[in-house]
Amino acid sequence: MKPAAQRLNRIRCAQALTPEGWCEYCVIELDASGRITAVVGDDGKPVDLNLNGTVIPGMPNLHSHAHQRAIAGLTEHKLAGHDDFWGWRERMYRANARLGPDELQAVARYVYSQMLQNGYTTVAEFHYLHHDPAGNPYADPAEMSARLLEAASEAGIAITLLPVLYCRGGFSGQAVQGVQKRFFSLPDHYLELVQACALHCADDPDRALGFAAHSLRAVAPEVLTRTLQDAGNLAAGVPVHIHVAEQQKEVVECRALNGRTPIAWLHEICPVDQNWCLVHATHAEPDELRSIVESDATVGLCPTTEANLGDGVFPTAEFLQSGGCFGIGSDSQVCTAPSEELKLLEYAQRLSLQRRTVLVKDDEGSVGRSLVELALAGGNRALGEGTWGLVPGARADLLELDNSHADLAALSSDQVLDSWIFAGSRTGDVSNVIVGGQHVVVDGVHALLESAALPFQQVVATLNDT
């Protein structure tokens, strides 16, 4: 494990986004675990770091499949009869079959470093590559999970690990096939895996644990409910994530077999509440949007992946107007920049509704700031952070945008966020990133990224003939 960087004690910010608005010349004080203890006016006392740009809380990435970074860009060649999500999935499955622990760690280390350099500070890793390519458990059932945790520590990103339950190959209860055997666990074995993962996360303030079911295709809702009950204290108050209603095909099949859509079925059987994150929910119907709002669940949106796979467009504007909560994720890693996810999220709504400035919380105001604040609230909630932002008790996760950069110069603070999302170059916009009080990106550069590139490239080379 890479030695942990020394945590900072005091950070001075020239302008920082707090729940009360923009604060000029404040000092953020931290404790030894990387949590904020106070945000005070500049008292002139020595600090460990001066941030002269525009500072916002670090962005949470609520949905990541780190291993898919290895095939990003390798699936953009059309094959007859394979122009949809299901054709892409087969290509992804073939790549999965050649990833062992070393390869997974190499890919994760690289992609986590990229995330940090682009402004993500925490990641929810939705992890289902549990066994070896033949489906046999490793000697340590949490071997692959441990490699992801180690990669996160090496890169310096905070991680919420979400081991995935995967019990069947489809809504009809068919057996898993081929590489899906890597994912498969019976509930009892899954709980053993979660317990092993909990030991790997213990006593590390930058590691947390939650639960996940791959989808209702892979886990019947009554099985998911029973598994969470059997988990006891391990499942108390922690995040629970699930893919749902991503593709029309699964919605149609679920309705035909079960007489209800996946989202309706989930709410009927499972104890969906504020700890749950429904990933994608792309094809939610109006009554289902109301159910999600009433259950207080978060919707996890991954606009660049949803666009890449042709999923469709989630009705974000309608959901927001109804009081819904959402966050963003990098999912398949075709993009690892939160600014790009936020831009596409807004642009998809503009194209669908033929309007401008759609996702604004109030009747007027900065779209960029609204997107940032909404994604911060929903993303932190989905990662199990009850307190977030630049306030006492929250993680000291900060992102500084470089006001001297040509794209962001001579702008007000709100305009900096607008320009970062809608007019920034991405390269050079993010100047410094702090994760739990540790300075992991310095002057726009993540120190590990260059050395992590070669092992990553070697993995890609082995997959490029699949």
Side-chain angles (χ1 to χ4, degrees):
M1 179 185 293
K2 176 180 75 80
Q6 185 174 356
R7 297 188 193 271
L8 306 171
N9 295 311
R10 285 167 54 89
I11 303 170
R12 180 182 290 115
C13 303
Q15 48 190 345
L17 183 60
T18 72
E20 291 74 35
W22 291 105
C23 177
E24 292 191 355
Y25 301 107
C26 62
V27 173
I28 299 172
E29 299 179 343
L30 292 65
D31 66 17
S33 70
R35 295 268 169 179
I36 296 173
T37 58
V39 180
V40 299
D42 188 359
D43 54 13
K45 295 179 181 178
V47 296
D48 301 306
L49 180 65
N50 277 295
L51 298 178
N52 296 314
T54 299
V55 176
I56 62 174
M59 293 300 296
N61 181 345
L62 60 60
H63 190 66
S64 165
H65 304 297
H67 68 275
Q68 292 182 16
R69 180 64 182 86
I71 62 166
L74 302 185
T75 62
E76 305 305 323
H77 182 88
K78 185 171 183 177
L79 300 174
H82 291 278
D83 64 345
D84 59 9
F85 168 87
W86 309 100
W88 171 87
R89 189 179 75 162
E90 288 305 311
R91 179 63 184 269
M92 186 264 290
Y93 277 0
R94 291 199 298 273
N96 285 349
R98 300 172 69 173
L99 289 174
D102 291 343
E103 291 79 13
L104 178 63
Q105 186 171 343
V107 173
R109 180 171 55 238
Y110 180 71
V111 73
Y112 291 157
S113 299
Q114 283 190 318
M115 289 178 191
L116 286 163
Q117 192 161 290
N118 289 324
Y120 286 121
T121 52
T122 54
V123 60
E125 185 60 41
F126 194 97
H127 169 56
Y128 51 81
L129 293 183
H130 301 311
H131 312 308
D132 74 15
N136 301 309
Y138 291 98
D140 175 0
E143 172 71 22
M144 297 290 267
S145 297
R147 295 303 189 101
L148 289 165
L149 292 168
E150 180 66 15
S153 294
E154 290 176 315
I157 198 167
I159 184 170
T160 296
L161 181 68
L162 303 170
V164 171
L165 179 62
Y166 200 110
C167 300
R168 60 183 186 174
F171 287 113
S172 298
Q174 53 265 52
V176 296
Q177 300 292 327
V179 77
Q180 289 179 335
K181 294 176 182 178
R182 296 198 77 174
F183 319 156
F184 176 77
S185 292
L186 294 172
D188 288 348
H189 296 152
Y190 171 75
L191 290 177
E192 292 174 3
L193 169 65
V194 173
Q195 290 168 346
C197 290
L199 294 177
H200 285 288
C201 293
D203 302 321
D204 190 325
D206 295 321
R207 294 179 178 181
L209 185 67
F211 284 72
H214 180 273
S215 58
L216 294 186
R217 296 194 312 273
V219 183
E222 60 272 16
V223 172
L224 174 55
T225 296
R226 187 167 60 251
T227 302
L228 292 171
Q229 291 171 343
D230 291 344
N233 289 336
L234 270 179
V238 303
V240 180
H241 289 219
I242 185 170
H243 292 134
V244 66
E246 179 179 6
Q247 286 280 318
Q248 284 280 17
K249 178 182 176 181
E250 68 173 314
V251 176
V252 171
E253 183 179 355
C254 185
R255 193 194 299 270
L257 289 171
N258 301 295
R260 55 184 76 74
T261 63
I263 295 175
W265 197 22
L266 184 72
H267 280 84
E268 180 181 324
I269 305 296
C270 294
V272 181
D273 61 17
Q274 72 275 5
N275 297 315
W276 284 61
C277 179
L278 311 188
V279 182
H280 304 306
T282 310
H283 301 288
E285 299 172 357
D287 59 330
E288 293 173 327
L289 294 178
R290 288 192 291 272
S291 295
I292 297 172
V293 172
E294 289 169 3
S295 67
D296 207 21
T298 301
V299 169
L301 300 175
C302 310
T304 60
T305 293
E306 290 151 5
N308 185 272
L309 299 180
D311 289 346
V313 178
F314 178 76
T316 316
E318 181 181 351
F319 185 61
L320 179 61
Q321 190 172 21
S322 300
C325 181
F326 66 83
I328 57 167
S330 62
D331 197 348
S332 68
Q333 320 303 347
V334 292
C335 175
T336 58
S339 58
E340 294 295 310
E341 298 293 345
L342 294 172
K343 176 166 66 177
L344 187 53
L345 178 62
E346 169 70 16
Y347 277 179
Q349 299 303 302
R350 293 184 186 189
L351 289 167
S352 298
L353 301 173
Q354 300 180 54
R355 288 168 38 202
R356 295 194 73 250
T357 59
V358 177
L359 300 178
V360 180
K361 294 187 297 182
D362 303 313
D363 290 338
E364 60 182 33
S366 159
V367 182
R369 179 170 163 184
S370 280
L371 288 169
V372 164
E373 291 179 335
L374 290 165
L376 286 169
N380 279 289
R381 202 161 172 258
L383 270 71
E385 287 291 335
T387 303
W388 63 271
L390 304 186
V391 297
R395 289 183 51 83
D397 296 338
L398 285 73
L399 159 61
E400 181 197 29
L401 299 171
D402 184 3
N403 290 9
S404 67
H405 193 277
D407 291 330
L408 306 179
L411 303 177
S412 70
S413 297
D414 280 355
Q415 289 172 336
V416 167
L417 298 186
D418 291 335
S419 295
W420 175 50
I421 294 170
F422 296 106
S425 63
R426 196 168 84 186
T427 303
D429 290 349
V430 175
S431 181
N432 289 281
V433 177
I434 291 88
V435 177
Q438 297 182 355
H439 197 179
V440 295
V441 174
V442 180
D443 296 332
V445 177
H446 189 291
L448 186 65
L449 190 58
E450 184 175 351
S451 62
L454 180 58
F456 167 75
Q457 291 164 8
Q458 291 170 340
V459 174
V460 173
T462 67
L463 303 180
N464 205 10
D465 60 351
T466 59

